[in-house]
Amino acid sequence: MIGRTAIALLSVIVLSYTGLAWANLNRFGGGEGAVDLAERPYAEDGAVDLLLIGNDSRNDKEGNPLPESVLRELRTTYESGDLTDTMILVRIPNGGQRASAVSFPRDTLVDMGEFGKHKLTEAFSRAKNAEAEKLQEQGLSDPKEIEKKAREAGRNFLISTIEDISGAGIDHYAEVNLLGFYEVTKAVGGVEVCLKEPVDDSEWSGAVFPAGPQTIQGADALAFVRQRHGLTNELDRVTRQKVFMSALVGKVLSAGTLANPARLTDLVSAVERSVVLDDKLANDILGFASQLQGIAGGDVEFHTAPVHFVGESGEEDVTIQVPEVRQFVANLLLPPAERARKEQQQAQQAAAREDTTVSVFNASGETGLAGRVLEEVGTAGFTTGGSANADSRASSLIYHAPGDQAAAQQLAEMLGGVEIAESTNLSAGNLEVYLGDDYAGPGADFAGRQSVRLDGLRRAPVQAQAPDTADEEPITANGVPCVY
């Protein structure tokens, strides 16, 4: 539900342009729903990063169940799972002249440390439920206090998980539930969308629309962004959400909204009732707004994080290569023209990895190390060969055939700076990795694999380089493209 999760950003943009209702801004923060990020310093990574979350919760922002009458209006039932339907990282480079929003598909499989490997949509709920169980074991009995502390733990774990995947240090957090999305789309008078074909998903999401352009709001808008059945895969759903979000940005920034005090007041009220903000943002929303004053509708780009489908058609797993995603997110800080100039280099690097077969030999004596490292190598985009044990050695080394030094260097950097050496015994396109006693790269820590650990990223941002795969043409807040 990308549209609903962007409301905090959009409302700030609106208010920064109009100066209207500044007195109402203090109503957004504090209270039971605030997220405490006071102890997390701003990450010095060249941008202000805002994580926007669309929560599938059937509760209000204070955690109270929505009435049955409201659930009927939303065309849903009370099924409290606290799944995060939408996760968007908004990057605003220092100077605030443009912004980029990156959507992370909810079904993306990620490593969650102590919880194992699960879909990204479950990160919040798994951490929340684990914290609630721990609090009860510690003797806390007040349901409201347990709910508050457990939700805080869920939010912080989700923030850390997105930081790990993206390499960005998240500075702010905003969360909106089903009711908030419903109310905000009505407050702006609906959003224009366009479908290439008619839709009838009445059995599941309630999405029933004709082909062509149309304006939707409330429950119809909710159905539009929630539909999953009848679409090719998760990316089709994300594309819908992106075009809805871009149209919503355009609507909020349009003269019909900016010049309409009643509509602006409705929008502020809707945000107040449904948006959860972190403490820093709630207490300094004017300062945050000042960073966005140079952003016009067309200067907000909407992207999807690079993902890969693994498995049989119709039953694919959505997977990511963490280094690829981190490079992609880092590149969003580059001017668009510079990003475009790097596309050829990106394609060459990706092709080189795909055309290179890597075999891994365990010369460290640590059980299972070669297999774990080979898995990491495959995740980084190389073709995987075999793994086996080898005679003990102190230092790790990568052997490459003559002419394959560039591919070996890519692999060496991915494995944490392993030395490389040429070998005439290897045929072109093959690399051999020998893991010595000194190896400390990805896969070395069995309890918490290095490539997915949930610490340190805020202090060591990824340098902006070309991502491994080119992104699709970005969607901006100008125009209404037709989608499936």
Side-chain angles (χ1 to χ4, degrees):
M1 289 175 245
I2 286 182
R4 73 164 187 258
T5 57
I7 301 310
L9 172 65
L10 303 181
S11 64
V12 170
I13 293 174
V14 169
L15 294 171
S16 68
Y17 270 81
T18 65
L20 180 68
W22 288 124
N24 290 325
L25 289 175
N26 60 6
R27 301 183 303 179
F28 290 167
E32 296 293 323
V35 181
D36 185 8
L37 296 182
E39 299 302 319
R40 299 167 66 94
Y42 282 91
E44 296 181 1
D45 56 6
V48 175
D49 294 298
L50 172 65
L51 180 59
L52 305 172
I53 295 300
N55 199 310
D56 201 23
S57 173
R58 273 67 166 171
N59 298 332
D60 62 20
K61 67 180 290 186
E62 280 78 33
N64 302 310
L66 296 175
E68 286 293 334
S69 58
V70 174
L71 293 175
R72 284 195 298 271
E73 184 70 18
L74 297 177
R75 302 175 189 171
T76 189
T77 58
Y78 190 83
E79 300 170 356
S80 181
D82 279 319
L83 299 178
T84 45
D85 268 2
T86 302
M87 289 140 283
I88 310 169
L89 176 65
V90 178
R91 306 214 78 186
I92 307 163
N94 295 341
Q97 298 302 308
R98 55 189 169 85
S100 299
V102 185
S103 302
F104 292 87
R106 55 166 279 167
D107 288 343
T108 304
L109 289 173
V110 298
D111 194 312
M112 298 182 190
E114 62 183 293
F115 301 113
K117 198 167 190 176
H118 301 283
K119 293 181 179 180
L120 188 55
T121 184
E122 301 176 26
F124 176 93
S125 61
R126 286 185 178 275
K128 173 184 177 255
N129 294 338
E131 181 67 12
E133 183 177 342
K134 184 176 76 172
L135 291 170
Q136 290 170 341
E137 291 175 352
Q138 292 174 350
L140 189 61
S141 58
D142 183 353
K144 281 197 170 243
E145 188 67 15
I146 292 174
E147 178 72 9
K148 176 184 176 182
K149 291 181 179 295
R151 295 187 76 82
E152 180 77 6
R155 287 165 180 147
N156 277 295
F157 182 77
L158 178 57
I159 289 170
S160 295
T161 302
I162 296 294
E163 282 186 327
D164 178 71
I165 294 169
S166 67
I170 293 172
D171 305 301
H172 293 301
Y173 178 93
E175 175 186 314
V176 187
N177 59 19
L178 295 176
L179 180 61
F181 177 71
Y182 172 90
E183 291 187 337
V184 169
T185 59
K186 294 188 70 173
V188 300
V191 175
E192 185 178 356
V193 297
C194 181
L195 285 169
K196 294 181 179 180
E197 296 178 355
V199 167
D200 185 356
D201 189 43
S202 52
E203 183 179 355
W204 298 96
S205 66
V208 180
F209 304 109
Q214 52 208 287
T215 299
I216 58 176
Q217 61 179 296
D220 284 337
L222 191 58
F224 180 85
V225 296
R226 295 185 72 204
Q227 181 184 350
R228 304 181 72 191
H229 298 272
L231 301 180
T232 303
N233 54 40
E234 179 69 9
L235 292 190
D236 280 351
R237 185 169 182 257
V238 171
T239 298
R240 271 203 192 183
Q241 295 172 344
K242 285 194 299 182
V243 300
F244 186 91
M245 182 177 179
S246 67
L248 181 56
V249 172
K251 185 63 176 285
V252 171
L253 296 178
S254 69
T257 301
L258 297 179
N260 189 328
R263 185 160 287 174
L264 280 174
T265 299
D266 289 344
L267 180 58
V268 170
S269 296
V271 171
E272 178 207 358
R273 290 192 300 269
S274 57
V275 175
V276 174
L277 302 180
D278 71 86
D279 287 349
K280 291 191 296 183
L281 181 55
N283 293 326
D284 188 29
I285 201 165
L286 292 182
F288 183 66
S290 69
Q291 300 176 44
L292 304 178
Q293 288 179 350
I295 298 177
D299 291 327
V300 184
E301 292 184 352
F302 302 89
H303 303 265
T304 303
V307 297
H308 304 269
F309 291 93
V310 177
E312 297 182 6
S313 177
E315 299 181 359
E316 307 100 327
D317 286 332
V318 184
T319 65
I320 59 171
Q321 297 173 6
V322 173
E324 179 183 30
V325 174
R326 291 180 183 176
Q327 292 293 348
F328 176 82
V329 170
N331 281 359
L332 296 177
L333 300 185
L334 299 173
E338 186 175 344
R339 295 207 307 265
R341 287 195 297 269
K342 291 179 177 288
E343 288 182 356
Q344 183 175 2
Q345 177 186 356
Q346 298 164 6
Q348 291 173 345
Q349 289 178 338
R353 285 191 295 276
E354 187 176 351
D355 292 342
T356 301
T357 299
V358 179
S359 297
V360 180
F361 298 90
N362 187 358
S364 71
E366 180 182 340
T367 303
L369 179 61
R372 297 198 302 273
V373 172
L374 188 62
E375 182 181 353
E376 298 284 353
V377 167
T379 299
F382 290 90
T383 298
T384 55
S387 62
N389 293 323
D391 293 338
S392 178
R393 58 183 300 151
S395 301
S396 302
L397 189 64
I398 297 173
Y399 288 108
H400 65 85
D404 285 347
Q405 182 175 356
Q409 192 60 49
Q410 283 195 63
L411 179 61
E413 292 174 2
M414 176 256 162
L415 294 180
V418 176
E419 295 291 330
I420 66 173
E422 184 176 301
S423 172
T424 56
N425 294 325
L426 290 175
S427 58
N430 287 275
L431 302 177
E432 290 185 349
V433 180
Y434 286 82
L435 304 172
D437 294 337
D438 65 340
Y439 183 74
D445 182 4
F446 181 70
R449 290 160 48 188
Q450 186 170 359
S451 68
V452 293
R453 68 183 186 274
L454 301 180
D455 61 5
L457 293 172
R458 295 164 62 81
R459 296 183 296 276
V462 179
Q463 181 180 1
Q465 298 176 9
D468 291 342
T469 57
D471 182 41
E472 78 282 2
E473 186 70 20
I475 297 172
T476 72
N478 294 326
V480 183
C482 287
V483 296
Y484 288 103

